[in-house]
PDB file of all heavy atoms in Angstrom:
ATOM      1  N   GLY A   1     -32.326  49.609  76.045  1.00 83.00           N
ATOM      2  CA  GLY A   1     -33.417  50.559  75.959  1.00 83.00           C
ATOM      3  C   GLY A   1     -34.415  50.290  74.863  1.00 83.00           C
ATOM      4  O   GLY A   1     -35.229  51.164  74.530  1.00 83.00           O
ATOM      5  N   LEU A   2     -34.416  49.097  74.279  1.00 85.00           N
ATOM      6  CA  LEU A   2     -35.352  48.779  73.210  1.00 85.00           C
ATOM      7  C   LEU A   2     -36.761  48.664  73.766  1.00 85.00           C
ATOM      8  O   LEU A   2     -36.994  48.001  74.774  1.00 85.00           O
ATOM      9  CB  LEU A   2     -34.949  47.455  72.540  1.00 85.00           C
ATOM     10  CG  LEU A   2     -35.887  46.936  71.452  1.00 85.00           C
ATOM     11  CD1 LEU A   2     -35.859  47.862  70.247  1.00 85.00           C
ATOM     12  CD2 LEU A   2     -35.517  45.509  71.056  1.00 85.00           C
ATOM     13  N   ILE A   3     -37.705  49.312  73.116  1.00 88.00           N
ATOM     14  CA  ILE A   3     -39.115  49.237  73.473  1.00 88.00           C
ATOM     15  C   ILE A   3     -39.855  48.689  72.261  1.00 88.00           C
ATOM     16  O   ILE A   3     -39.848  49.304  71.201  1.00 88.00           O
ATOM     17  CB  ILE A   3     -39.678  50.611  73.890  1.00 88.00           C
ATOM     18  CG1 ILE A   3     -38.912  51.163  75.103  1.00 88.00           C
ATOM     19  CG2 ILE A   3     -41.173  50.502  74.201  1.00 88.00           C
ATOM     20  CD1 ILE A   3     -39.365  52.542  75.519  1.00 88.00           C
ATOM     21  N   LEU A   4     -40.483  47.528  72.441  1.00 87.00           N
ATOM     22  CA  LEU A   4     -41.075  46.832  71.307  1.00 87.00           C
ATOM     23  C   LEU A   4     -42.262  46.020  71.801  1.00 87.00           C
ATOM     24  O   LEU A   4     -42.345  45.647  72.983  1.00 87.00           O
ATOM     25  CB  LEU A   4     -40.042  45.892  70.660  1.00 87.00           C
ATOM     26  CG  LEU A   4     -40.364  45.316  69.287  1.00 87.00           C
ATOM     27  CD1 LEU A   4     -40.493  46.428  68.256  1.00 87.00           C
ATOM     28  CD2 LEU A   4     -39.295  44.323  68.869  1.00 87.00           C
ATOM     29  N   ASP A   5     -43.208  45.783  70.902  1.00 87.00           N
ATOM     30  CA  ASP A   5     -44.335  44.924  71.234  1.00 87.00           C
ATOM     31  C   ASP A   5     -43.829  43.533  71.612  1.00 87.00           C
ATOM     32  O   ASP A   5     -42.905  43.004  71.000  1.00 87.00           O
ATOM     33  CB  ASP A   5     -45.295  44.831  70.050  1.00 87.00           C
ATOM     34  CG  ASP A   5     -46.481  43.937  70.343  1.00 87.00           C
ATOM     35  OD1 ASP A   5     -47.396  44.366  71.064  1.00 87.00           O
ATOM     36  OD2 ASP A   5     -46.474  42.786  69.851  1.00 87.00           O
ATOM     37  N   ARG A   6     -44.446  42.950  72.620  1.00 88.00           N
ATOM     38  CA  ARG A   6     -43.980  41.665  73.153  1.00 88.00           C
ATOM     39  C   ARG A   6     -44.003  40.575  72.094  1.00 88.00           C
ATOM     40  O   ARG A   6     -43.042  39.819  71.938  1.00 88.00           O
ATOM     41  CB  ARG A   6     -44.872  41.290  74.340  1.00 88.00           C
ATOM     42  CG  ARG A   6     -44.599  39.910  74.919  1.00 88.00           C
ATOM     43  CD  ARG A   6     -45.766  39.485  75.780  1.00 88.00           C
ATOM     44  NE  ARG A   6     -45.519  38.182  76.373  1.00 88.00           N
ATOM     45  CZ  ARG A   6     -45.282  37.973  77.653  1.00 88.00           C
ATOM     46  NH1 ARG A   6     -45.239  38.990  78.482  1.00 88.00           N
ATOM     47  NH2 ARG A   6     -45.089  36.759  78.122  1.00 88.00           N
ATOM     48  N   ASP A   7     -45.093  40.468  71.351  1.00 89.00           N
ATOM     49  CA  ASP A   7     -45.214  39.404  70.350  1.00 89.00           C
ATOM     50  C   ASP A   7     -44.273  39.635  69.170  1.00 89.00           C
ATOM     51  O   ASP A   7     -43.702  38.684  68.631  1.00 89.00           O
ATOM     52  CB  ASP A   7     -46.651  39.311  69.867  1.00 89.00           C
ATOM     53  CG  ASP A   7     -47.617  38.939  70.985  1.00 89.00           C
ATOM     54  OD1 ASP A   7     -47.171  38.265  71.929  1.00 89.00           O
ATOM     55  OD2 ASP A   7     -48.800  39.324  70.915  1.00 89.00           O
ATOM     56  N   LEU A   8     -44.102  40.882  68.766  1.00 91.00           N
ATOM     57  CA  LEU A   8     -43.179  41.177  67.676  1.00 91.00           C
ATOM     58  C   LEU A   8     -41.744  40.877  68.082  1.00 91.00           C
ATOM     59  O   LEU A   8     -40.946  40.369  67.284  1.00 91.00           O
ATOM     60  CB  LEU A   8     -43.322  42.634  67.244  1.00 91.00           C
ATOM     61  CG  LEU A   8     -42.396  43.114  66.123  1.00 91.00           C
ATOM     62  CD1 LEU A   8     -42.571  42.271  64.875  1.00 91.00           C
ATOM     63  CD2 LEU A   8     -42.631  44.587  65.824  1.00 91.00           C
ATOM     64  N   ASN A   9     -41.394  41.159  69.316  1.00 89.00           N
ATOM     65  CA  ASN A   9     -40.061  40.831  69.817  1.00 89.00           C
ATOM     66  C   ASN A   9     -39.821  39.326  69.803  1.00 89.00           C
ATOM     67  O   ASN A   9     -38.746  38.852  69.403  1.00 89.00           O
ATOM     68  CB  ASN A   9     -39.904  41.373  71.236  1.00 89.00           C
ATOM     69  CG  ASN A   9     -38.566  41.020  71.863  1.00 89.00           C
ATOM     70  OD1 ASN A   9     -37.526  41.522  71.468  1.00 89.00           O
ATOM     71  ND2 ASN A   9     -38.599  40.133  72.844  1.00 89.00           N
ATOM     72  N   ALA A  10     -40.849  38.543  70.195  1.00 89.00           N
ATOM     73  CA  ALA A  10     -40.710  37.086  70.166  1.00 89.00           C
ATOM     74  C   ALA A  10     -40.576  36.569  68.738  1.00 89.00           C
ATOM     75  O   ALA A  10     -39.799  35.650  68.461  1.00 89.00           O
ATOM     76  CB  ALA A  10     -41.906  36.442  70.861  1.00 89.00           C
ATOM     77  N   ALA A  11     -41.320  37.151  67.817  1.00 90.00           N
ATOM     78  CA  ALA A  11     -41.245  36.710  66.420  1.00 90.00           C
ATOM     79  C   ALA A  11     -39.863  36.979  65.831  1.00 90.00           C
ATOM     80  O   ALA A  11     -39.327  36.167  65.071  1.00 90.00           O
ATOM     81  CB  ALA A  11     -42.327  37.405  65.604  1.00 90.00           C
ATOM     82  N   ARG A  12     -39.272  38.105  66.164  1.00 91.00           N
ATOM     83  CA  ARG A  12     -37.922  38.407  65.663  1.00 91.00           C
ATOM     84  C   ARG A  12     -36.895  37.451  66.247  1.00 91.00           C
ATOM     85  O   ARG A  12     -35.946  37.042  65.561  1.00 91.00           O
ATOM     86  CB  ARG A  12     -37.568  39.848  65.982  1.00 91.00           C
ATOM     87  CG  ARG A  12     -38.386  40.871  65.183  1.00 91.00           C
ATOM     88  CD  ARG A  12     -37.938  42.286  65.482  1.00 91.00           C
ATOM     89  NE  ARG A  12     -38.686  43.260  64.671  1.00 91.00           N
ATOM     90  CZ  ARG A  12     -38.495  44.584  64.736  1.00 91.00           C
ATOM     91  NH1 ARG A  12     -37.586  45.072  65.581  1.00 91.00           N
ATOM     92  NH2 ARG A  12     -39.206  45.386  63.971  1.00 91.00           N
ATOM     93  N   ASN A  13     -37.037  37.091  67.509  1.00 90.00           N
ATOM     94  CA  ASN A  13     -36.119  36.124  68.108  1.00 90.00           C
ATOM     95  C   ASN A  13     -36.248  34.757  67.456  1.00 90.00           C
ATOM     96  O   ASN A  13     -35.254  34.047  67.259  1.00 90.00           O
ATOM     97  CB  ASN A  13     -36.391  36.014  69.613  1.00 90.00           C
ATOM     98  CG  ASN A  13     -35.906  37.222  70.381  1.00 90.00           C
ATOM     99  OD1 ASN A  13     -34.905  37.838  70.017  1.00 90.00           O
ATOM    100  ND2 ASN A  13     -36.627  37.584  71.425  1.00 90.00           N
ATOM    101  N   LEU A  14     -37.471  34.376  67.095  1.00 91.00           N
ATOM    102  CA  LEU A  14     -37.666  33.101  66.420  1.00 91.00           C
ATOM    103  C   LEU A  14     -37.034  33.111  65.032  1.00 91.00           C
ATOM    104  O   LEU A  14     -36.437  32.117  64.600  1.00 91.00           O
ATOM    105  CB  LEU A  14     -39.154  32.783  66.321  1.00 91.00           C
ATOM    106  CG  LEU A  14     -39.880  32.498  67.637  1.00 91.00           C
ATOM    107  CD1 LEU A  14     -41.373  32.333  67.399  1.00 91.00           C
ATOM    108  CD2 LEU A  14     -39.315  31.253  68.304  1.00 91.00           C
ATOM    109  N   ALA A  15     -37.169  34.225  64.322  1.00 90.00           N
ATOM    110  CA  ALA A  15     -36.563  34.319  62.994  1.00 90.00           C
ATOM    111  C   ALA A  15     -35.049  34.211  63.068  1.00 90.00           C
ATOM    112  O   ALA A  15     -34.406  33.668  62.159  1.00 90.00           O
ATOM    113  CB  ALA A  15     -36.979  35.620  62.320  1.00 90.00           C
ATOM    114  N   ALA A  16     -34.454  34.709  64.156  1.00 89.00           N
ATOM    115  CA  ALA A  16     -33.004  34.637  64.304  1.00 89.00           C
ATOM    116  C   ALA A  16     -32.517  33.220  64.586  1.00 89.00           C
ATOM    117  O   ALA A  16     -31.325  32.936  64.449  1.00 89.00           O
ATOM    118  CB  ALA A  16     -32.556  35.567  65.426  1.00 89.00           C
ATOM    119  N   LEU A  17     -33.432  32.312  64.981  1.00 86.00           N
ATOM    120  CA  LEU A  17     -33.042  30.936  65.293  1.00 86.00           C
ATOM    121  C   LEU A  17     -33.129  30.017  64.087  1.00 86.00           C
ATOM    122  O   LEU A  17     -32.954  28.804  64.224  1.00 86.00           O
ATOM    123  CB  LEU A  17     -33.957  30.371  66.392  1.00 86.00           C
ATOM    124  CG  LEU A  17     -33.759  30.914  67.809  1.00 86.00           C
ATOM    125  CD1 LEU A  17     -34.787  30.300  68.736  1.00 86.00           C
ATOM    126  CD2 LEU A  17     -32.362  30.625  68.314  1.00 86.00           C
ATOM    127  N   ALA A  18     -33.401  30.552  62.913  1.00 82.00           N
ATOM    128  CA  ALA A  18     -33.613  29.703  61.742  1.00 82.00           C
ATOM    129  C   ALA A  18     -32.403  28.837  61.434  1.00 82.00           C
ATOM    130  O   ALA A  18     -32.539  27.684  61.012  1.00 82.00           O
ATOM    131  CB  ALA A  18     -33.968  30.559  60.536  1.00 82.00           C
ATOM    132  N   ALA A  19     -31.214  29.358  61.646  1.00 70.00           N
ATOM    133  CA  ALA A  19     -30.009  28.601  61.307  1.00 70.00           C
ATOM    134  C   ALA A  19     -29.729  27.482  62.297  1.00 70.00           C
ATOM    135  O   ALA A  19     -28.994  26.535  61.981  1.00 70.00           O
ATOM    136  CB  ALA A  19     -28.807  29.540  61.236  1.00 70.00           C
ATOM    137  N   ASP A  20     -30.310  27.556  63.522  1.00 66.00           N
ATOM    138  CA  ASP A  20     -30.020  26.567  64.556  1.00 66.00           C
ATOM    139  C   ASP A  20     -31.097  25.514  64.704  1.00 66.00           C
ATOM    140  O   ASP A  20     -30.910  24.551  65.446  1.00 66.00           O
ATOM    141  CB  ASP A  20     -29.834  27.259  65.911  1.00 66.00           C
ATOM    142  CG  ASP A  20     -28.710  28.280  65.866  1.00 66.00           C
ATOM    143  OD1 ASP A  20     -27.765  28.064  65.081  1.00 66.00           O
ATOM    144  OD2 ASP A  20     -28.777  29.280  66.602  1.00 66.00           O
ATOM    145  N   CYS A  21     -32.255  25.695  64.035  1.00 56.00           N
ATOM    146  CA  CYS A  21     -33.366  24.762  64.188  1.00 56.00           C
ATOM    147  C   CYS A  21     -33.346  23.741  63.072  1.00 56.00           C
ATOM    148  O   CYS A  21     -32.900  24.018  61.962  1.00 56.00           O
ATOM    149  CB  CYS A  21     -34.704  25.503  64.186  1.00 56.00           C
ATOM    150  SG  CYS A  21     -34.912  26.613  65.607  1.00 56.00           S
ATOM    151  N   ASP A  22     -33.866  22.556  63.375  1.00 47.00           N
ATOM    152  CA  ASP A  22     -33.982  21.489  62.389  1.00 47.00           C
ATOM    153  C   ASP A  22     -35.327  21.575  61.701  1.00 47.00           C
ATOM    154  O   ASP A  22     -36.258  22.194  62.178  1.00 47.00           O
ATOM    155  CB  ASP A  22     -33.827  20.117  63.066  1.00 47.00           C
ATOM    156  CG  ASP A  22     -32.458  19.960  63.688  1.00 47.00           C
ATOM    157  OD1 ASP A  22     -31.513  20.544  63.132  1.00 47.00           O
ATOM    158  OD2 ASP A  22     -32.357  19.275  64.715  1.00 47.00           O
ATOM    159  N   THR A  23     -35.421  20.907  60.556  1.00 45.00           N
ATOM    160  CA  THR A  23     -36.682  20.888  59.831  1.00 45.00           C
ATOM    161  C   THR A  23     -37.679  20.012  60.560  1.00 45.00           C
ATOM    162  O   THR A  23     -37.318  19.121  61.316  1.00 45.00           O
ATOM    163  CB  THR A  23     -36.477  20.346  58.415  1.00 45.00           C
ATOM    164  OG1 THR A  23     -35.904  19.048  58.510  1.00 45.00           O
ATOM    165  CG2 THR A  23     -35.578  21.257  57.612  1.00 45.00           C
ATOM    166  N   ALA A  24     -38.956  20.266  60.299  1.00 42.00           N
ATOM    167  CA  ALA A  24     -40.032  19.507  60.926  1.00 42.00           C
ATOM    168  C   ALA A  24     -41.020  19.085  59.866  1.00 42.00           C
ATOM    169  O   ALA A  24     -41.518  19.899  59.121  1.00 42.00           O
ATOM    170  CB  ALA A  24     -40.747  20.354  61.977  1.00 42.00           C
ATOM    171  N   GLY A  25     -41.284  17.810  59.792  1.00 39.00           N
ATOM    172  CA  GLY A  25     -42.288  17.316  58.865  1.00 39.00           C
ATOM    173  C   GLY A  25     -43.164  16.325  59.579  1.00 39.00           C
ATOM    174  O   GLY A  25     -43.545  16.537  60.716  1.00 39.00           O
ATOM    175  N   SER A  26     -43.492  15.250  58.926  1.00 34.00           N
ATOM    176  CA  SER A  26     -44.268  14.224  59.580  1.00 34.00           C
ATOM    177  C   SER A  26     -43.368  13.453  60.533  1.00 34.00           C
ATOM    178  O   SER A  26     -42.214  13.194  60.259  1.00 34.00           O
ATOM    179  CB  SER A  26     -44.863  13.278  58.533  1.00 34.00           C
ATOM    180  OG  SER A  26     -43.825  12.685  57.783  1.00 34.00           O
ATOM    181  N   GLY A  27     -43.937  13.087  61.691  1.00 34.00           N
ATOM    182  CA  GLY A  27     -43.150  12.382  62.678  1.00 34.00           C
ATOM    183  C   GLY A  27     -42.617  13.338  63.724  1.00 34.00           C
ATOM    184  O   GLY A  27     -43.075  14.464  63.887  1.00 34.00           O
ATOM    185  N   PRO A  28     -41.605  12.935  64.503  1.00 33.00           N
ATOM    186  CA  PRO A  28     -41.067  13.788  65.557  1.00 33.00           C
ATOM    187  C   PRO A  28     -40.476  15.070  64.990  1.00 33.00           C
ATOM    188  O   PRO A  28     -39.896  15.090  63.919  1.00 33.00           O
ATOM    189  CB  PRO A  28     -39.983  12.908  66.205  1.00 33.00           C
ATOM    190  CG  PRO A  28     -40.326  11.519  65.801  1.00 33.00           C
ATOM    191  CD  PRO A  28     -40.965  11.617  64.455  1.00 33.00           C
ATOM    192  N   VAL A  29     -40.641  16.130  65.723  1.00 37.00           N
ATOM    193  CA  VAL A  29     -40.135  17.423  65.298  1.00 37.00           C
ATOM    194  C   VAL A  29     -39.200  17.964  66.359  1.00 37.00           C
ATOM    195  O   VAL A  29     -39.156  17.494  67.479  1.00 37.00           O
ATOM    196  CB  VAL A  29     -41.287  18.429  65.062  1.00 37.00           C
ATOM    197  CG1 VAL A  29     -42.136  17.980  63.897  1.00 37.00           C
ATOM    198  CG2 VAL A  29     -42.132  18.574  66.300  1.00 37.00           C
ATOM    199  N   ALA A  30     -38.441  18.980  65.980  1.00 39.00           N
ATOM    200  CA  ALA A  30     -37.487  19.570  66.907  1.00 39.00           C
ATOM    201  C   ALA A  30     -38.215  20.177  68.072  1.00 39.00           C
ATOM    202  O   ALA A  30     -39.234  20.842  67.936  1.00 39.00           O
ATOM    203  CB  ALA A  30     -36.665  20.631  66.178  1.00 39.00           C
ATOM    204  N   GLY A  31     -37.674  19.986  69.261  1.00 39.00           N
ATOM    205  CA  GLY A  31     -38.256  20.571  70.456  1.00 39.00           C
ATOM    206  C   GLY A  31     -39.252  19.672  71.145  1.00 39.00           C
ATOM    207  O   GLY A  31     -39.599  19.912  72.287  1.00 39.00           O
ATOM    208  N   ARG A  32     -39.787  18.648  70.493  1.00 40.00           N
ATOM    209  CA  ARG A  32     -40.769  17.775  71.120  1.00 40.00           C
ATOM    210  C   ARG A  32     -40.068  16.866  72.119  1.00 40.00           C
ATOM    211  O   ARG A  32     -39.157  16.138  71.790  1.00 40.00           O
ATOM    212  CB  ARG A  32     -41.478  16.957  70.037  1.00 40.00           C
ATOM    213  CG  ARG A  32     -42.610  16.086  70.545  1.00 40.00           C
ATOM    214  CD  ARG A  32     -43.781  16.902  71.016  1.00 40.00           C
ATOM    215  NE  ARG A  32     -44.307  17.777  70.003  1.00 40.00           N
ATOM    216  CZ  ARG A  32     -45.226  17.424  69.125  1.00 40.00           C
ATOM    217  NH1 ARG A  32     -45.686  16.201  69.101  1.00 40.00           N
ATOM    218  NH2 ARG A  32     -45.695  18.293  68.260  1.00 40.00           N
ATOM    219  N   GLY A  33     -40.490  16.944  73.369  1.00 38.00           N
ATOM    220  CA  GLY A  33     -39.912  16.111  74.404  1.00 38.00           C
ATOM    221  C   GLY A  33     -38.563  16.597  74.908  1.00 38.00           C
ATOM    222  O   GLY A  33     -37.789  15.835  75.465  1.00 38.00           O
ATOM    223  N   ALA A  34     -38.268  17.887  74.727  1.00 39.00           N
ATOM    224  CA  ALA A  34     -36.977  18.413  75.181  1.00 39.00           C
ATOM    225  C   ALA A  34     -36.925  18.402  76.705  1.00 39.00           C
ATOM    226  O   ALA A  34     -37.899  18.695  77.378  1.00 39.00           O
ATOM    227  CB  ALA A  34     -36.779  19.830  74.658  1.00 39.00           C
ATOM    228  N   ASP A  35     -35.764  18.054  77.253  1.00 42.00           N
ATOM    229  CA  ASP A  35     -35.618  17.986  78.704  1.00 42.00           C
ATOM    230  C   ASP A  35     -34.578  18.970  79.221  1.00 42.00           C
ATOM    231  O   ASP A  35     -34.119  18.854  80.339  1.00 42.00           O
ATOM    232  CB  ASP A  35     -35.235  16.556  79.121  1.00 42.00           C
ATOM    233  CG  ASP A  35     -33.955  16.093  78.438  1.00 42.00           C
ATOM    234  OD1 ASP A  35     -33.457  16.838  77.571  1.00 42.00           O
ATOM    235  OD2 ASP A  35     -33.476  15.001  78.780  1.00 42.00           O
ATOM    236  N   ARG A  36     -34.198  19.923  78.431  1.00 42.00           N
ATOM    237  CA  ARG A  36     -33.246  20.922  78.872  1.00 42.00           C
ATOM    238  C   ARG A  36     -33.562  22.241  78.192  1.00 42.00           C
ATOM    239  O   ARG A  36     -34.292  22.293  77.212  1.00 42.00           O
ATOM    240  CB  ARG A  36     -31.805  20.511  78.538  1.00 42.00           C
ATOM    241  CG  ARG A  36     -31.548  20.405  77.039  1.00 42.00           C
ATOM    242  CD  ARG A  36     -30.116  20.016  76.755  1.00 42.00           C
ATOM    243  NE  ARG A  36     -29.854  19.880  75.334  1.00 42.00           N
ATOM    244  CZ  ARG A  36     -29.551  20.901  74.526  1.00 42.00           C
ATOM    245  NH1 ARG A  36     -29.501  22.133  75.023  1.00 42.00           N
ATOM    246  NH2 ARG A  36     -29.325  20.714  73.257  1.00 42.00           N
ATOM    247  N   LYS A  37     -32.987  23.310  78.738  1.00 45.00           N
ATOM    248  CA  LYS A  37     -33.231  24.624  78.178  1.00 45.00           C
ATOM    249  C   LYS A  37     -32.224  24.940  77.086  1.00 45.00           C
ATOM    250  O   LYS A  37     -31.069  24.540  77.151  1.00 45.00           O
ATOM    251  CB  LYS A  37     -33.135  25.680  79.288  1.00 45.00           C
ATOM    252  CG  LYS A  37     -34.175  25.471  80.385  1.00 45.00           C
ATOM    253  CD  LYS A  37     -34.052  26.522  81.460  1.00 45.00           C
ATOM    254  CE  LYS A  37     -35.081  26.305  82.552  1.00 45.00           C
ATOM    255  NZ  LYS A  37     -34.968  27.315  83.618  1.00 45.00           N
ATOM    256  N   THR A  38     -32.660  25.676  76.103  1.00 46.00           N
ATOM    257  CA  THR A  38     -31.793  26.033  74.996  1.00 46.00           C
ATOM    258  C   THR A  38     -30.694  26.981  75.460  1.00 46.00           C
ATOM    259  O   THR A  38     -30.943  27.939  76.192  1.00 46.00           O
ATOM    260  CB  THR A  38     -32.617  26.707  73.888  1.00 46.00           C
ATOM    261  OG1 THR A  38     -33.677  25.812  73.517  1.00 46.00           O
ATOM    262  CG2 THR A  38     -31.768  27.015  72.691  1.00 46.00           C
ATOM    263  N   ARG A  39     -29.466  26.704  75.032  1.00 47.00           N
ATOM    264  CA  ARG A  39     -28.363  27.579  75.384  1.00 47.00           C
ATOM    265  C   ARG A  39     -28.510  28.891  74.636  1.00 47.00           C
ATOM    266  O   ARG A  39     -28.750  28.925  73.425  1.00 47.00           O
ATOM    267  CB  ARG A  39     -27.030  26.918  75.028  1.00 47.00           C
ATOM    268  CG  ARG A  39     -25.823  27.739  75.470  1.00 47.00           C
ATOM    269  CD  ARG A  39     -24.540  26.986  75.171  1.00 47.00           C
ATOM    270  NE  ARG A  39     -24.293  26.915  73.750  1.00 47.00           N
ATOM    271  CZ  ARG A  39     -24.408  25.816  73.041  1.00 47.00           C
ATOM    272  NH1 ARG A  39     -24.816  24.704  73.603  1.00 47.00           N
ATOM    273  NH2 ARG A  39     -24.179  25.820  71.738  1.00 47.00           N
ATOM    274  N   LEU A  40     -28.380  29.995  75.333  1.00 43.00           N
ATOM    275  CA  LEU A  40     -28.535  31.312  74.746  1.00 43.00           C
ATOM    276  C   LEU A  40     -27.199  31.823  74.242  1.00 43.00           C
ATOM    277  O   LEU A  40     -26.152  31.547  74.811  1.00 43.00           O
ATOM    278  CB  LEU A  40     -29.110  32.295  75.773  1.00 43.00           C
ATOM    279  CG  LEU A  40     -30.459  31.870  76.391  1.00 43.00           C
ATOM    280  CD1 LEU A  40     -30.903  32.892  77.414  1.00 43.00           C
ATOM    281  CD2 LEU A  40     -31.501  31.718  75.310  1.00 43.00           C
ATOM    282  N   GLY A  41     -27.267  32.587  73.170  1.00 45.00           N
ATOM    283  CA  GLY A  41     -26.039  33.093  72.585  1.00 45.00           C
ATOM    284  C   GLY A  41     -25.730  34.521  72.984  1.00 45.00           C
ATOM    285  O   GLY A  41     -24.677  35.044  72.666  1.00 45.00           O
ATOM    286  N   GLY A  42     -26.656  35.205  73.678  1.00 46.00           N
ATOM    287  CA  GLY A  42     -26.438  36.595  74.045  1.00 46.00           C
ATOM    288  C   GLY A  42     -26.220  36.771  75.526  1.00 46.00           C
ATOM    289  O   GLY A  42     -25.904  35.830  76.262  1.00 46.00           O
ATOM    290  N   LEU A  43     -26.417  37.978  76.000  1.00 45.00           N
ATOM    291  CA  LEU A  43     -26.261  38.276  77.413  1.00 45.00           C
ATOM    292  C   LEU A  43     -27.432  37.722  78.201  1.00 45.00           C
ATOM    293  O   LEU A  43     -28.561  37.695  77.732  1.00 45.00           O
ATOM    294  CB  LEU A  43     -26.157  39.786  77.611  1.00 45.00           C
ATOM    295  CG  LEU A  43     -25.039  40.481  76.822  1.00 45.00           C
ATOM    296  CD1 LEU A  43     -25.084  41.976  77.067  1.00 45.00           C
ATOM    297  CD2 LEU A  43     -23.688  39.921  77.213  1.00 45.00           C
ATOM    298  N   VAL A  44     -27.156  37.292  79.430  1.00 43.00           N
ATOM    299  CA  VAL A  44     -28.173  36.665  80.259  1.00 43.00           C
ATOM    300  C   VAL A  44     -28.164  37.323  81.630  1.00 43.00           C
ATOM    301  O   VAL A  44     -27.105  37.525  82.225  1.00 43.00           O
ATOM    302  CB  VAL A  44     -27.917  35.150  80.414  1.00 43.00           C
ATOM    303  CG1 VAL A  44     -28.980  34.517  81.284  1.00 43.00           C
ATOM    304  CG2 VAL A  44     -27.884  34.495  79.050  1.00 43.00           C
ATOM    305  N   ALA A  45     -29.352  37.646  82.132  1.00 43.00           N
ATOM    306  CA  ALA A  45     -29.481  38.172  83.484  1.00 43.00           C
ATOM    307  C   ALA A  45     -29.629  36.995  84.431  1.00 43.00           C
ATOM    308  O   ALA A  45     -30.616  36.269  84.374  1.00 43.00           O
ATOM    309  CB  ALA A  45     -30.690  39.095  83.586  1.00 43.00           C
ATOM    310  N   VAL A  46     -28.637  36.777  85.318  1.00 42.00           N
ATOM    311  CA  VAL A  46     -28.617  35.623  86.200  1.00 42.00           C
ATOM    312  C   VAL A  46     -29.211  36.009  87.546  1.00 42.00           C
ATOM    313  O   VAL A  46     -28.840  37.021  88.132  1.00 42.00           O
ATOM    314  CB  VAL A  46     -27.174  35.098  86.390  1.00 42.00           C
ATOM    315  CG1 VAL A  46     -27.169  33.873  87.282  1.00 42.00           C
ATOM    316  CG2 VAL A  46     -26.562  34.773  85.040  1.00 42.00           C
TER     317      VAL A  46
END
């Protein structure tokens, strides 16, 4: 029943991924050229 602004909800989800993401600097960064979907850790509607 959570009601939240769409962009704010996305920003909170991104903040929760901080522990699973790699650093990005010069050169290739995480997520560039990915060929699969990220595994989700919560409930999923199939």
Side-chain angles (χ1 to χ4, degrees):
L2 176 67
I3 300 177
L4 193 62
D5 180 76
R6 174 197 181 110
D7 297 332
L8 179 57
N9 177 70
R12 291 183 178 180
N13 287 327
L14 293 175
L17 288 177
D20 301 330
C21 295
D22 297 328
T23 57
S26 59
V29 294
R32 185 69 57 88
D35 57 354
R36 64 179 179 84
K37 299 180 180 179
T38 304
R39 184 176 70 251
L40 303 178
L43 304 178
V44 180
V46 182

